[in-house]
Every structure is written in C-alpha cells, then in structure tokens.
C-alpha cells in the first residue's frame, strides 16, 4: 500500500515537472508572422483573462492588418488613444508608406508611434511587458512586436512619511510607484554619474528592482557584491523590501538590522553621495540603503538641518535614550535583587517601602510590566490612528494604576518601565528600536541570574557579536572598531557642516572629498 502511494506521488511530481517545463517552453516560443496565431497564443498563455484587451484594426491607407493588446487598468487609456491609435490611423494616411512590411514596421516604430518603444521577440518578452503596463503592437506578417510604454495605473500622492517626520526639512516621501521614486531621487541628485540599474525579482511576480549609486564615488566592490547577492535571490514574489533585506544580509541570526530602510528621498540622496548604494522595489515606498553601521542607527536627517550645537544635543539625547531603553529595567532588577548596597540609603528605603506587599520578585515584576507595555504598543500600532493613540495612553495609565492599587507591582517599577518605553520611542529607526527591545529581555534575564556581573557579561557578548558582524562586507561596528578617528566628527558629536569635508573613510569611496556638501553620514 505504501509503495502504491509513493508511486502515485512520484507520478504526480513528474507530471507537474513536465507541465512546468512545457509552460517554460511556451514562454520562450518565438513570435509567428501570422497575426491571428499570435493573438491566440497570447490569450492561451495568459489563460484568456477578462482584463486583457485586444483591438485589431487596419493601417490607414493600406490593407495591412495590425492589433494592439494591453491589460486594462495597468495602462493610460489616453496615451493609447493619442500616441498609438490616433497616430497609426491618421498619420499613416498622410505619409507615403512603403509596401514592404518590414520597412512599414520600422516606419511605424520610428515615425508614427510617439511613445517610448522597445522590440519583443518571444512570448516571455510579451508577458513581462503586458504585466508591467506596456502595450503590444502587432503587425501581420512580422515575427516581432513593439512594446510601447503606456503605464498609467493609480498611485498614492507624494506626502511626508508618518514614520520619519522632521520639524525642519523636506515634506516629501517615496510612494509605491518606482518610476515616481526614481524621479524624486533625480530631483535631489542631478549628477550624470548617478546610475540606475534595473533587475527583476520573483519567478512569478517579476517585480522591478532599481539599484542606484553614484559612479565615481562608490567603491566598485560594493556594487559587485550587491549584484552577486541579488542574482542569488530565488523566490516567487517579494511583496516588500524586507524580503530582499533578509536574502542579502550577512547574518540572519543577528538582532541588528544590517541595512537601513527609509521613505525619505533626502536621506537616500545623502547616503548615495557618501558612497553608499540604494535598492528600490516597485510596489513599496521603503528603500534599502547599504552598507549600514551601528552609528547609523541613531542618526536622523534633522541632525543636519539644525545648527551643529542643536544637532549634537539631539544626537546625544538619542544615545542616552538607547542606553535607557536597553539597560534601565535590567539595572533596576540587578541593584534591587543583588546589590542594594550600591543604592543611596534614602532611595533604598523608599524603594523598600514601595515594594512592601508586592508578591513577586523584581525580575517577575519587571517582566510582567515590560510584556504588558509591549502588548499595548503592538495593539496601538495595529488599531486606527485615533483609537491606537487612546489605547496606548489610557491603557498604560489604567493598567499601571490598577496594578499598583492591587499591589501586584511597585510604583517605582511603573516609572522604570514608562521611562524605558519613552526612551525607545526616541530611536529614529523602527527596526533598530525593535532590536533594542529584544536585547532588553536578554539583559533582564542576565541581571536576574547574575546581577551586575550578568549585565557586564551580556554587554561583552553583544560587543563581540557587533565587531564580528558585517554589512555587505563592511564591519558593522565601524568607525568604533575598526577605529577611524576621522569619522568620529560625525558620530556622537556632530561637527559644523563646513568641517565635514570628507566622506566616511570606512566606505573606501573613490572620491573621498565631499566638497562641503553636508557630508551626511546616513
């Protein structure tokens, strides 16, 4: 019985493989000269979808049959009417057209159709073009087609990103349309050396990826390494850049994000001018910037829009917030449980008085409150904006007050967890803030088992991990280790803009001098 089932499974697998091979062969079939046969093959390849539009007609002034085909909803109907149908119907009547079909095809391509065109030779070319919003032009008797750029689907308006707001800076952000995003980038970098390389990702989705960098600045080894990793991606679809990030990052076990994701064009342009590389994916407003370092986690474009004194103060506050978000609950547990003698006497008496009657040890108390805060934060993020803000504020107040009244937690613990939550909101990058929240639980466990000694051990382990971690071959802990003292003028301390005259040394840019353009190390 088992053999029979196994034999049946093998037969099914073989038939599926044969069907896939047959489908691939059909996609690679060259285009025929017969118009009717080409249209039949096109419909068969797509499964005769209801949104496929095929419009046959005759070239005006001749008896040559032709047709256009497109996917309704992905194209600009006005563009099809004015640049294709109208021109082929009217302009051809005014011109002296050649009788030979090959020459007629070239005349229509070069002189009649005013939109951007390419030539297609296989059904695979046609399917990619159709599903990207292009229009196919057939001419009877020609074994190739014109792929006309008529993309025109609805897209979101350009607006400021909600997750990366700034008080003083541009109010524009990327959208889901990759063409619009590349235009926004061009507006910021009007350099002929800006390179935009197109890739396709996904066996089924075949989405467009644009790899962008400034030639003459970026280290060529970074471009080669990114191209190699992108070619190694093998999956059906990439709904967002997070899929690409997880495919090309150096270590998937690390809690730290090894690539930066952003929705701000100014942040991407500043990174490119520093010698970095950006990856755009069609269908998402987020853009990947690489390589990344630990110092990038606590930097924001607003640091450079304000004067250097204000930028330095804000960045210093972020480093303090990062310390509080990772270490504060763990330090409280370690001091109360293992080292009460290190707490000032009056404060120790106050903490002891507030903990009187609390049934849980400090570690369980901190763990319960931290998990509760994470649940409130996640609930607030998933609910509509107005309701989410209410849940976060009211929920935190009500639960904290109720827990203190019931004697489950002490008031000092509520203060510690509240400070920890507020500090985590000061981290500019959402991905980095989540990483710090993960580390918080590790430090809590270490402090509960070994006290301050456990916190020190966990801190040493994190540093060992950081100095071994890389982002596209660049050490993640640079410029701390390996040390590049020249890059420290834009790390914790933000130097005045005129003094940041060189690009980061760790990037090994071909052109190190930045020309006093701001030198944003983003």
């Amino acid at each position: 019985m088992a053999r029979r089932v196994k034999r049946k499974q093998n037969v099914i697998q073989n038939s599926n493989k044969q069907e896939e091979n047959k489908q691939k062969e059909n996609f690679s079939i060259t285009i025929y000269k017969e118009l009717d046969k080409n249209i039949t093959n096109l419909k068969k390849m797509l499964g005769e979808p209801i949104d496929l539009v095929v419009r046959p007609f005759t070239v005006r002034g001749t008896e040559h049959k032709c047709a256009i085909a497109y996917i309704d909803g992905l194209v600009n109907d006005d563009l099809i009417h004015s640049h294709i149908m109208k021109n082929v119907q009217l302009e051809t009547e005014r011109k002296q057209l050649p009788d030979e079909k090959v020459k007629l095809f070239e005349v229509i391509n070069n002189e009649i159709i005013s939109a951007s065109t390419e030539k297609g030779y296989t059904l695979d070319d046609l399917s990619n073009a159709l599903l990207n919003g292009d229009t196919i032009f057939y001419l009877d008797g020609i074994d190739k087609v014109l792929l006309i750029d008529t993309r025109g689907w609805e897209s979101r308006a350009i607006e400021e990103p909600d997750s990366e707001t700034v008080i003083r800076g541009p109010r524009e952000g990327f959208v889901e349309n990759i063409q619009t995003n590349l235009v926004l980038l061009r507006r910021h970098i009007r350099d002929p050396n800006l390179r935009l390389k197109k890739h396709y990702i996904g066996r089924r989705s075949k989405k467009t990826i644009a790899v962008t960098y400034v030639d003459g600045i970026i280290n060529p080894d970074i471009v080669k390494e990114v191209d190699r990793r992108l070619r190694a991606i093998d999956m059906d679809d990439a709904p967002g850049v997070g899929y690409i990030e997880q495919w090309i990052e150096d270590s998937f076990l690390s809690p730290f994000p090894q690539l930066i994701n952003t929705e701000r064009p100014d942040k991407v342009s500043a990174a490119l001018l520093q010698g970095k590389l950006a990856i755009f994916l069609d269908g998402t407003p987020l853009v990947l910037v690489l390589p990344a370092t630990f110092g990038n986690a606590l930097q924001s474009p607003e640091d450079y829009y304000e004067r250097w004194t204000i930028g330095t103060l804000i960045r210093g506050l972020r480093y303090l917030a990062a310390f509080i978000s990772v270490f504060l609950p763990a330090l409280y547990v370690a001091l109360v449980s293992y080292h009460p003698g290190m707490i000032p006497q009056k404060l120790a008496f106050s903490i002891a008085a507030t903990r009187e009657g609390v049934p849980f040890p400090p570690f369980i108390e901190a763990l319960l409150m931290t998990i509760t805060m994470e649940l409130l934060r996640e609930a607030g993020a998933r609910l509509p904006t107005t309701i989410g803000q209410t849940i976060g504020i009211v929920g935190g107040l009500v639960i904290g007050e109720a827990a203190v009244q019931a004697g489950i937690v002490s008031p000092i613990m509520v203060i510690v967890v509240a400070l920890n939550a507020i500090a985590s909101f000061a981290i500019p990058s959402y991905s980095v803030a989540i990483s710090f929240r993960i580390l918080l639980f590790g430090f809590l466990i270490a402090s509960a088992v070994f006290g301050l000694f456990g916190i020190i051990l966990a801190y040493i382990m994190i540093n060992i991990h950081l100095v071994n971690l890389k982002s596209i071959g660049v050490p993640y802990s640079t410029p701390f280790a390996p040390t590049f003292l020249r890059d420290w003028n834009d790390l914790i301390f933000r130097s005045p803009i005129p003094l940041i005259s060189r690009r980061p040394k760790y990037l090994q840019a071909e052109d190190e001098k930045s020309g006093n353009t701001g030198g944003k190390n983003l």
Side-chain angles (χ1 to χ4, degrees):
M1 184 70 180
R3 288 183 180 177
R4 192 176 300 170
V5 172
K6 189 174 181 180
R7 191 181 304 163
K8 188 174 181 180
Q9 290 176 347
N10 291 333
V11 171
I12 294 174
Q13 289 177 357
N14 292 332
S15 62
N16 289 338
K17 288 181 180 179
Q18 291 176 1
E19 187 66 27
E20 288 181 4
N21 293 333
K22 186 177 179 182
Q23 190 174 4
K24 289 179 181 178
E25 290 175 1
N26 289 337
F27 273 24
S28 61
I29 289 177
T30 55
I31 299 170
Y32 297 101
K33 291 187 176 182
E34 296 83 358
L35 176 62
D36 295 336
K37 193 173 183 178
N38 286 329
I39 293 176
T40 301
N41 287 341
L42 178 66
K43 291 180 178 179
K44 187 183 296 184
M45 177 187 67
L46 297 176
E48 299 190 2
I50 59 174
D51 56 352
L52 174 64
V53 178
V54 179
R55 300 178 64 178
F57 57 98
T58 304
V59 178
R60 187 72 62 89
T62 69
E63 296 182 356
H64 298 301
K65 294 188 295 183
C66 58
I68 60 171
Y70 57 89
I71 301 294
D72 190 23
L74 296 181
V75 298
N76 186 332
D77 293 329
D78 294 335
L79 198 62
I80 292 176
H81 181 265
S82 59
H83 288 208
I84 302 175
M85 298 293 295
K86 185 178 179 181
N87 283 5
V88 173
Q89 291 288 349
L90 297 180
E91 295 296 327
T92 54
E93 191 175 17
R94 302 170 185 171
K95 289 181 175 289
Q96 186 69 31
L97 298 177
D99 293 331
E100 190 179 348
K101 291 185 178 181
V102 175
K103 293 182 179 179
L104 175 62
F105 184 81
E106 295 298 330
V107 169
I108 293 176
N109 179 26
N110 298 325
E111 302 179 23
I112 306 299
I113 297 178
S114 55
S116 175
T117 62
E118 293 181 3
K119 293 179 181 178
Y121 302 92
T122 65
L123 283 180
D124 196 14
D125 296 338
L126 269 63
S127 66
N128 290 336
L130 271 177
L131 299 175
N132 275 305
D134 291 347
T135 297
I136 300 173
F137 176 82
Y138 291 98
L139 181 63
D140 189 33
I142 300 296
D143 57 355
K144 54 187 174 182
V145 297
L146 292 180
L147 309 177
I148 308 166
D149 186 3
T150 55
R151 303 172 191 178
W153 53 78
E154 295 294 330
S155 61
R156 181 168 57 92
I158 298 173
E159 54 190 11
E160 185 177 8
D162 293 332
S163 59
E164 295 179 273
T165 57
V166 295
I167 298 174
R168 186 176 177 182
R171 306 294 189 203
E172 61 183 11
F174 291 123
V175 295
E176 287 73 16
N177 189 338
I178 191 172
Q179 297 297 331
T180 304
N181 294 340
L182 295 177
V183 169
L184 290 174
L185 181 63
R186 286 282 192 189
R187 287 178 55 190
H188 283 265
I189 304 179
R190 302 175 185 181
D191 188 340
N193 293 315
L194 178 63
R195 300 290 180 258
L196 310 175
K197 288 189 175 181
K198 184 185 290 187
H199 295 260
Y200 293 100
I201 188 170
R203 292 191 302 267
R204 301 290 181 182
S205 62
K206 297 181 181 178
K207 286 187 176 178
T208 303
I209 286 182
V211 177
T212 63
Y213 58 90
V214 180
D215 194 20
I217 295 180
I218 193 170
N219 185 346
D221 293 337
I222 295 178
V223 179
K224 293 177 182 177
E225 180 63 18
V226 171
D227 285 340
R228 183 188 69 80
R229 297 191 186 192
L230 287 176
R231 286 195 299 269
I233 296 177
D234 183 23
M235 54 184 171
D236 286 339
D237 183 24
V241 292
Y243 285 74
I244 301 173
E245 179 181 1
Q246 295 173 69
W247 264 95
I248 67 175
E249 65 184 358
D250 287 66
S251 174
F252 63 88
L253 295 175
S254 175
F256 297 99
Q258 294 137 58
L259 287 80
I260 303 168
N261 60 80
T262 180
E263 295 183 56
R264 298 192 62 87
D266 57 335
K267 191 171 181 177
V268 173
S269 63
L272 295 185
L273 292 175
Q274 283 303 299
K276 295 186 179 182
L277 180 145
I279 298 176
F280 292 76
L281 174 64
D282 194 20
T284 176
L286 289 169
V287 175
L288 292 178
V289 177
L290 58 152
T293 64
F294 183 77
N296 301 145
L298 301 175
Q299 294 177 343
S300 170
E302 198 162 18
D303 298 347
Y304 304 92
Y305 297 135
E306 298 286 355
R307 298 181 67 251
W308 70 272
T309 51
I310 301 173
T312 301
L313 173 63
I314 295 174
R315 190 175 290 177
L317 287 174
R318 290 199 202 104
Y319 275 89
L320 176 62
F323 177 84
I324 292 174
S325 65
V326 175
F327 290 102
L328 184 60
L331 285 173
Y332 171 80
V333 170
L335 292 175
V336 172
S337 301
Y338 290 92
H339 315 283
M342 298 182 64
I343 306 175
Q345 189 176 14
K346 290 186 178 180
L347 180 59
F349 287 152
S350 176
I351 292 175
T354 58
R355 284 194 47 78
E356 187 177 356
V358 176
F360 302 112
F363 169 67
I364 300 299
E365 187 184 2
L367 195 63
L368 287 174
M369 287 302 298
T370 306
I371 291 175
T372 303
M373 187 60 67
E374 293 297 327
L375 289 174
L376 285 171
R377 185 165 10 203
E378 189 66 18
R382 297 291 168 257
L383 291 171
T385 306
T386 53
I387 302 176
Q389 293 175 351
T390 306
I391 289 292
I393 298 171
V394 177
L397 292 173
V398 170
I399 292 177
E401 182 66 23
V404 171
Q405 291 285 343
I408 297 175
V409 297
S410 60
I412 188 70
M413 177 53 71
V414 175
I415 295 173
V416 168
V417 173
L419 281 174
N420 172 264
I422 292 171
S424 68
F425 290 137
I427 308 300
S429 172
Y430 178 73
S431 300
V432 176
I434 293 178
S435 300
F436 288 169
R437 284 151 58 182
I438 294 172
L439 295 178
L440 165 65
F441 288 98
F443 279 103
L444 263 179
I445 295 172
S447 67
V449 177
F450 298 110
L452 285 177
F453 182 65
I455 295 177
I456 295 171
L457 282 178
Y459 178 70
I460 292 173
M461 292 173 62
I462 292 297
N463 277 277
I464 292 173
H465 171 69
L466 283 174
V467 297
N468 284 283
L469 186 62
K470 292 186 177 181
S471 173
I472 316 297
V474 176
Y476 195 71
S477 57
T478 188
F480 294 107
T483 304
F484 295 98
L485 292 177
R486 192 185 77 189
D487 297 339
W488 282 46
N489 66 342
D490 191 24
L491 193 60
I492 301 174
F493 177 81
R494 208 278 278 170
S495 298
I497 293 295
L499 299 182
I500 311 176
S501 58
R502 292 187 177 273
R503 295 183 173 88
K505 192 173 182 179
Y506 68 86
L507 290 174
Q508 299 180 355
E510 289 189 334
D511 181 13
E512 287 193 355
K513 188 172 178 59
S514 64
N516 292 336
T517 57
K520 302 176 193 174
N521 182 15
L522 296 177

